[in-house]
Amino acid sequence: MAVLSLSSATQPTFLACGTIKISKLIAADSCKYGRKVTQSLGRTYFGENLVFGKTATNIMKGLSHNTRFGVFAASTLSVTQPVEKLSTYSFRTDKGGNVKVIVTMLKDGKYGVNVEISSLQLNGNNNQVIMSWGVFRSDSSSLIPLQSNDSGIFETPFVTYSLNELKRFSVELEFDASLAPFYVSFLLKCPLNGETIEIKSHRKTNFCFPVGIKSGNPAPLGLSYSADGSLNFALFSRNAKNVILCLFDDSSSEEPVLEIDLDPYVNRSGDIWHASMDNVMNFVSYGYRCKNDGQQKPSIVLDPYSKVIGENFLGEICKEPTFDWSDDVRPNLPMEKLMVYRLNVMNFTRDASSNLSNEIRGTFSAITEKLHHFKDLGVNAILLEPIVSYDKKKGPYYPSHFFSPMNSYGPHGDSISTISSMKEMIKRLHANGIEVLLEVVFTHTCDYASLTKIDKPSYYSSESALNCAHPVVQQLILDSLKHWVINYHIDGFCFINSSSMINGFHGEHLSRPPLIEAIAFDPILSKTKIIADSFDPVLNSSKEIQFPHWKKWAEMNARFCSDVRNYLRGESLVSNLATRLCGSGDIFLNGRGPAFSFNFVARNHGLSVVDLVSFSSPTEFSWNCGDEGATKKKTVLETRLKQIRNFLFILYISLGVPVLNMGDECGQSSGGKILVKDRKPFNWKSLQTGFANQMVQFISFLSSLKVKRSDLLQKNEFLKVENIDWYGLDLSPPNWEDPTTKFLAMSLKCDQDDENSMAGDMFVAFNSGDGLVIATLPPPRVGMMWVRLVDTGLPYPGFFSMTGSPVIERIPGSLGYQVTPHSCVLLEARSVDG
């Protein structure tokens, strides 16, 4: 493809972008008013010099089909038929005159262009002004030739007339509408003192205006459809010197069929480049080239606001598929009622053991086929790992886009079916009382994300870290979040690496970060669950900070994870465990409550629950229970089994929202590896093992217990002092600061005045030591007795029961319970009469 700069458009060039056939090129001297010709001087063909270096005879050869261009010299704008004025452009010349261009739509389906010159300062009686022009619609300037041997440059004389004793010049052009969109570039030529001078714009460039391309609107960003049916394209780029809209008629093609250079004086408002088009012909997808100084030919990139992505990873020119949400009812669960299951869409059902068809394995549709599993576990919300397009080598926490689900998560691998299947999944989950939460990453992207090529200085603070302090990044994030809520009915978001979202331009922590505040108070987003997660995928670690919350932000509680892990391996103070059991008041006491704590003991990055008890790692706070890795030692296996039960028990008995990780219910292992990419697909056959069977039943029991005793276990406010007692051995106060203390017990007391209170008090004991402990029990209330619901040290199936087993008083006057090493116990006070 030959490129001709606008400043040198009078030099012949050739553009191999399709042949434009013309039947005749004619000139008419006439004055036309209304539909009548009041003066006709006849029509004559242009003579020599119509096209540089060509004669009229050569031009006319073979041009006998389908008029696409009509060129007229007229004394005024032709109004021989009713017209619709589309746009007007005004220019100043470098010789002091003015040039006005009016683009109209004629009723015969053609575009009319009238070019008029006024106040042009010419010496003497010089009335000869010629318009030297060409048509282009490629990157910046490549002209459209009439046929293979044409230069694509024409010379058309202006007609001179007087208006109010002022000399004016006018020429009219007509173009077939099917040629649009395109640009017309021209300069003026007139003889002076025996030489021909060129007249350009005051910027010393060619005059240039679009036909079939309107200026467009700077909002909304991305592709949108206007009320009149036209398409509007809008892209932010402060630092691009030129922006080229690239259009494709084949989604599999690597090169666009059409490239439209956006004029910074016409198609730019502030830092937004925009254009609209009436006719997109057979174009199916689009992208942009963003040029900076010195760049030869930048690659074509995806519009960051594109909602539908084609197979060539470019935006598709179409509206989002319609979806019937009429029967959808969002569960709108109170935060304290949530019980969450985190999963990866692909890995959840990708394995053949899912017994699903190849077409839907690893897709949104497959998740709905596994609704029974969520019900078996008793969860009422699923947390999806990032679902947008990402770097497949680095994993889902390195996104490349923010507005559309990854096509491979759909049953047919295309954007339309993926979007529809995701919405159908959400609707079905809602119908079953299950909310859908999304993990989102807005602090960094993968290396090849389109934002890096569109405007890296504005979007990024470092190599791949997004600058969340920049207003345009904040707008991108807010627009993305609202898009998922409005168009997909998403119930909430978990913001990965949230500790970096509060940084200022220079990396400093802001006490009132505008983005975090905007999300908290946005009328749409504030109605969803918004959860901060301090995990940094780049550093593979969490950053503990005091997160600004405005009483709206919940948090993934990394301290809960580390403290529970440390306690169960015998490396933590019992005071740390007590703080986590009560809802982490050290984090959430100031204006929030325990329901803002999303508790977890394992997640997709780091060790799974079974690996936590199989491998010792100081960074993961894990303990192998006596043998590293796989083992056949009975005592080690028994300890590991008790420890897994303990992890699950503490997760559900604590105040806050329990978050269960995919695969932990069936002992999924990554062999001690901690990276997300090392996680294996969910093996559905493992659910048939005895281990998985008891764990699924235990989790279901804990879920039911949390609901049944919501008066003590599902609270949006912290327990009152009078509702909880702490014990060491023999009902003595705990040794809070003694690192050798491994035993802790608590009594949760329901309000006696509360008519809605459930049964009786609850007694919970924890023993992370190697020795047996006899826990003295506080006397139950009059008419009640202690019943054992959980003892993780007992064999399956007797280690948990909703009906419970009475605790027998072995020593008269003293009621005690044996808490075996590395086990937890839960008792409930119930009426003696049943």
Side-chain angles (χ1 to χ4, degrees):
M1 178 182 294
V3 177
L4 182 68
S5 65
L6 288 177
S7 60
S8 59
T10 56
Q11 299 300 317
T13 187
F14 169 71
L15 172 64
C17 101
T19 302
I20 307 290
K21 295 183 179 180
I22 301 176
S23 62
K24 55 187 177 180
L25 191 59
I26 57 178
D29 282 335
S30 60
C31 295
K32 305 174 184 177
Y33 300 96
R35 293 286 296 173
K36 299 180 180 179
V37 179
T38 58
Q39 178 185 9
S40 178
L41 302 180
R43 297 192 174 196
T44 59
Y45 292 110
F46 284 126
E48 293 185 3
N49 296 324
L50 179 63
V51 178
F52 294 135
K54 306 275 191 293
T55 65
T57 303
N58 292 331
I59 293 297
M60 297 305 146
K61 287 183 178 179
L63 303 180
S64 58
H65 306 286
N66 302 326
T67 302
R68 307 285 292 279
F69 285 104
V71 183
F72 304 93
S75 61
T76 65
L77 171 66
S78 172
V79 286
T80 57
Q81 57 175 311
V83 297
E84 176 191 358
K85 183 185 290 188
L86 300 179
S87 50
T88 301
Y89 304 95
S90 297
F91 305 91
R92 287 187 292 118
T93 78
D94 58 359
K95 297 294 189 287
N98 297 313
V99 176
K100 184 177 182 180
V101 176
I102 300 176
V103 180
T104 60
M105 175 60 73
L106 308 179
K107 271 204 166 180
D108 60 1
K110 295 180 180 179
Y111 285 102
V113 174
N114 179 259
V115 182
E116 188 174 284
I117 307 172
S118 62
S119 305
L120 186 62
Q121 302 299 318
L122 298 175
N123 293 334
N125 296 319
N126 191 347
N127 292 325
Q128 298 181 19
V129 179
I130 294 175
M131 177 179 172
S132 179
W133 61 279
V135 173
F136 73 90
R137 58 179 179 188
S138 190
D139 55 351
S140 299
S141 51
S142 299
L143 301 180
I144 300 175
L146 302 184
Q147 56 183 16
S148 60
N149 62 343
D150 290 334
S151 69
I153 300 174
F154 307 90
E155 287 195 340
T156 304
F158 280 86
V159 169
T160 306
Y161 69 99
S162 294
L163 183 63
N164 297 329
E165 299 182 355
L166 295 176
K167 186 182 295 184
R168 293 177 180 267
F169 304 85
S170 179
V171 69
E172 183 181 339
L173 312 176
E174 286 185 6
F175 301 93
D176 194 290
S178 63
L179 292 175
F182 58 86
Y183 284 87
V184 176
S185 175
F186 69 94
L187 54 80
L188 307 177
K189 303 177 75 174
C190 63
L192 179 65
N193 299 326
E195 297 182 0
T196 300
I197 64 169
E198 293 182 350
I199 302 174
K200 297 186 177 182
S201 74
H202 71 287
R203 293 184 282 124
K204 303 299 182 182
T205 61
N206 277 28
F207 306 97
C208 181
F209 63 90
V211 176
I213 309 168
K214 300 177 184 177
S215 174
N217 299 304
L221 289 171
L223 171 67
S224 59
Y225 287 79
S226 303
D228 60 1
S230 63
L231 276 73
N232 191 78
F233 300 85
L235 176 78
F236 169 89
S237 184
R238 170 176 294 179
N239 290 284
K241 302 302 181 183
N242 297 95
V243 173
I244 301 162
L245 175 61
C246 304
L247 301 172
F248 294 76
D249 62 359
D250 184 351
S251 295
S252 61
S253 176
E254 295 183 359
E255 289 296 324
V257 69
L258 177 61
E259 298 187 41
I260 301 173
D261 188 80
L262 302 183
D263 189 328
Y265 287 84
V266 176
N267 302 105
R268 183 173 184 176
S269 299
D271 297 325
I272 309 295
W273 301 76
H274 47 81
S276 65
M277 296 166 50
D278 298 320
N279 177 25
V280 292
M281 296 188 284
N282 296 319
F283 301 133
V284 296
S285 58
Y286 75 102
Y288 293 97
R289 296 189 199 271
C290 295
K291 284 187 176 182
N292 295 313
D293 292 333
Q295 278 187 295
Q296 294 297 319
K297 190 174 183 179
S299 59
I300 301 173
V301 296
L302 172 70
D303 176 4
Y305 272 78
S306 180
K307 310 301 190 302
V308 183
I309 302 177
E311 62 184 64
N312 54 356
F313 202 62
L314 294 174
E316 290 198 4
I317 300 178
C318 66
K319 294 182 179 180
E320 289 185 77
T322 58
F323 187 80
D324 182 11
W325 289 107
S326 58
D327 298 327
D328 182 58
V329 179
R330 299 176 188 251
N332 285 323
L333 299 172
M335 197 96 81
E336 67 273 13
K337 301 295 184 182
L338 288 179
M339 286 177 279
V340 181
Y341 185 87
R342 185 205 315 260
L343 64 89
N344 177 282
V345 174
M346 181 72 73
N347 287 339
F348 188 54
T349 58
R350 183 178 65 177
D351 194 82
S353 61
S354 65
N355 291 326
L356 300 175
S357 66
N358 292 335
E359 185 182 58
I360 69 169
R361 286 210 310 256
T363 68
F364 295 119
S365 301
I367 292 177
T368 60
E369 298 296 321
K370 298 298 182 180
L371 270 170
H372 62 87
H373 186 61
F374 304 138
K375 291 183 177 295
D376 289 344
L377 294 172
V379 299
N380 55 20
I382 62 171
L383 174 60
L384 304 180
E385 292 179 25
I387 59 168
V388 296
S389 300
Y390 58 83
D391 187 332
K392 293 184 178 179
K393 292 182 179 179
K394 293 185 176 181
Y397 294 99
Y398 292 83
S400 60
H401 193 62
F402 301 107
F403 284 88
S404 182
M406 192 168 180
N407 287 354
S408 57
Y409 290 165
H412 304 296
D414 66 282
S415 193
I416 298 296
S417 67
T418 301
I419 291 171
S420 298
S421 63
M422 181 178 176
K423 293 178 179 179
E424 183 61 37
M425 174 200 72
I426 294 171
K427 187 175 181 178
R428 286 192 60 187
L429 289 171
H430 282 177
N432 285 271
I434 299 175
E435 293 193 343
V436 181
L437 313 176
L438 290 185
E439 284 188 341
V440 290
V441 183
F442 291 117
T443 56
H444 59 275
T445 66
C446 64
D447 296 335
Y448 60 81
S450 59
L451 296 178
T452 62
K453 298 178 177 65
I454 291 172
D455 192 341
K456 192 167 187 178
S458 294
Y459 280 109
Y460 292 85
S461 58
S462 62
E463 187 60 29
S464 62
L466 286 172
N467 185 3
C468 292
H470 197 290
V472 71
V473 178
Q474 295 174 13
Q475 181 185 355
L476 175 78
I477 294 172
L478 291 170
D479 289 344
S480 171
L481 295 172
K482 286 186 279 190
H483 169 69
W484 292 112
V485 174
I486 295 171
N487 297 305
Y488 288 82
H489 290 204
I490 290 298
D491 301 291
F493 303 92
C494 178
F495 295 78
I496 302 298
N497 198 16
S498 55
S499 54
S500 295
M501 294 176 65
I502 69 172
N503 292 343
F505 276 93
H506 305 291
E508 74 282 9
H509 282 345
L510 302 176
S511 59
R512 294 192 62 177
L515 174 60
I516 304 303
E517 185 173 10
I519 293 173
F521 290 99
D522 183 88
I524 294 174
L525 301 179
S526 61
K527 296 178 181 179
T528 67
K529 278 81 175 177
I530 49 177
I531 311 149
D533 190 339
S534 62
F535 176 73
D536 184 345
V538 178
L539 301 177
N540 198 42
S541 63
S542 295
K543 306 172 188 175
E544 291 191 11
I545 63 167
Q546 186 173 355
F547 196 82
H549 54 80
W550 287 275
K551 301 181 182 179
K552 298 289 183 68
W553 280 84
E555 295 182 45
M556 281 288 175
N557 195 342
R559 291 190 204 174
F560 180 94
C561 176
S562 57
D563 284 346
V564 171
R565 289 184 181 186
N566 275 328
Y567 172 75
L568 289 180
R569 69 174 184 152
E571 297 289 339
S572 175
L573 297 174
V574 292
S575 58
N576 293 336
L577 174 65
T579 302
R580 304 308 153 212
L581 292 168
C582 293
S584 299
D586 57 336
I587 304 174
F588 303 101
L589 189 60
N590 185 20
R592 292 182 285 181
F596 287 83
S597 176
F598 278 63
N599 303 328
F600 66 95
V601 292
R603 59 193 309 168
N604 50 359
H605 39 79
L607 296 177
S608 64
V609 167
V610 73
D611 287 347
L612 282 175
V613 301
S614 303
F615 301 90
S616 290
S617 169
T619 58
E620 289 290 308
F621 311 119
S622 61
W623 175 48
N624 61 22
C625 299
D627 208 359
E628 188 73 5
T631 185
K632 293 183 179 179
K633 295 181 180 179
K634 183 178 180 181
T635 56
V636 173
L637 293 175
E638 288 177 348
T639 303
R640 289 179 178 179
L641 181 60
K642 287 195 293 183
Q643 288 288 75
I644 292 174
R645 294 172 178 176
N646 294 339
F647 273 121
L648 295 173
F649 176 75
I650 295 175
L651 178 64
Y652 278 85
I653 208 70
S654 300
L655 287 180
V657 177
V659 180
L660 186 69
N661 206 54
M662 180 187 81
D664 284 343
E665 69 271 35
C666 58
Q668 196 97 355
S669 172
S670 59
K673 297 178 181 179
I674 63 174
L675 298 180
V676 176
K677 64 180 181 180
D678 296 322
R679 288 299 176 98
K680 299 176 182 178
F682 191 98
N683 186 347
W684 290 88
K685 288 184 178 179
S686 64
L687 287 174
Q688 301 171 9
T689 63
F691 171 86
N693 186 46
Q694 67 167 284
M695 288 305 162
V696 170
Q697 290 184 41
F698 188 40
I699 293 170
S700 178
F701 162 81
L702 291 171
S703 299
S704 299
L705 177 67
K706 203 167 180 72
V707 173
K708 180 181 178 183
R709 295 310 310 266
S710 60
D711 60 320
L712 295 175
L713 303 180
Q714 288 185 326
K715 298 181 68 67
N716 58 9
E717 296 180 354
F718 290 101
L719 290 168
K720 301 174 185 177
V721 174
E722 57 267 25
N723 291 124
I724 185 167
D725 286 329
W726 297 101
Y727 307 107
L729 295 174
D730 301 324
L731 300 182
S732 60
N735 295 319
W736 294 118
E737 303 304 322
D738 184 358
T740 64
T741 299
K742 309 299 180 185
F743 176 83
L744 178 68
M746 68 177 181
S747 179
L748 300 176
K749 298 180 289 185
C750 52
D751 291 326
Q752 297 185 39
D753 299 333
D754 186 0
E755 296 180 357
N756 298 319
S757 175
M758 304 299 294
D761 299 341
M762 303 181 78
F763 178 85
V764 192
F766 310 88
N767 180 17
S768 65
D770 297 325
L772 176 71
V773 172
I774 304 295
T776 302
L777 304 182
R781 295 177 184 178
V782 177
M784 306 193 83
M785 64 177 181
W786 289 115
V787 174
R788 184 190 71 234
L789 301 185
V790 176
D791 184 344
T792 61
L794 295 177
Y796 173 78
F799 76 92
F800 68 93
S801 170
M802 191 66 79
T803 56
S805 300
V807 177
I808 306 299
E809 186 178 298
R810 290 184 170 85
I811 302 176
S814 177
L815 188 62
Y817 190 92
Q818 291 186 353
V819 184
T820 58
H822 307 293
S823 64
C824 301
V825 172
L826 170 65
L827 310 178
E828 184 181 41
R830 292 184 179 175
S831 172
V832 174
D833 299 330

